[in-house]
Amino acid sequence: MREEVIDFLLQILLKTSQSSSDKKVLYPLMQDNLDKLDLNFADLLRHWSKNYFAGESLDKAQTVTVAEVIGNFGTLIGQFPQGNAVVG
C-alpha cells in the first residue's frame, strides 16, 4: 500500500503542476483516492519534501517550482470538499 501512496503523491504533484492547480482536474483524482488521503499521507508529503529539498544538486528555479507546487497542492487539499471526511 505504501508504494501506491507514494505513486499517488507523485501523480498528484505532477497533475498540480501540469494543470496549473485546476480543481476540475485535481478534485476528481483526490476523490478517487480518498483512501490514501489521511494523516499518513501528510507525513509522507512532509518526509518526501524534506528529502527532496535536501538534494544538493537542485538549482534555485527547480526548488522554487517544486515548493510552489507543494504549496498550491496544500491550498487545494485544504479547500477540498471531502476534507472533513479525510481527516475524520
Side-chain angles (χ1 to χ4, degrees):
M1 175 71 171
R2 182 167 168 86
E3 188 173 316
E4 289 177 28
V5 177
I6 291 169
D7 289 345
F8 172 65
L9 169 64
L10 297 175
Q11 179 184 22
I12 197 75
L13 292 177
L14 182 62
K15 291 283 186 186
T16 301
S17 176
Q18 291 173 338
S19 72
S20 299
S21 306
D22 186 345
K23 292 177 185 181
K24 292 177 184 173
V25 172
L26 297 166
Y27 282 177
L29 182 58
M30 289 181 194
Q31 182 66 44
D32 290 344
N33 289 278
L34 283 177
D35 62 316
K36 296 173 186 76
L37 294 174
D38 57 15
L39 294 177
N40 292 324
F41 184 81
D43 285 339
L44 177 66
L45 177 58
R46 183 173 35 258
H47 290 301
W48 181 88
S49 300
K50 182 179 177 183
N51 290 335
Y52 181 86
F53 290 113
E56 295 179 24
S57 63
L58 300 176
D59 63 40
K60 258 187 179 177
Q62 183 180 12
T63 300
V64 169
T65 300
V66 172
E68 183 179 355
V69 168
I70 292 169
N72 290 344
F73 173 68
T75 299
L76 286 167
I77 201 162
Q79 298 170 351
F80 184 50
Q82 298 299 319
N84 291 335
V86 171
V87 176

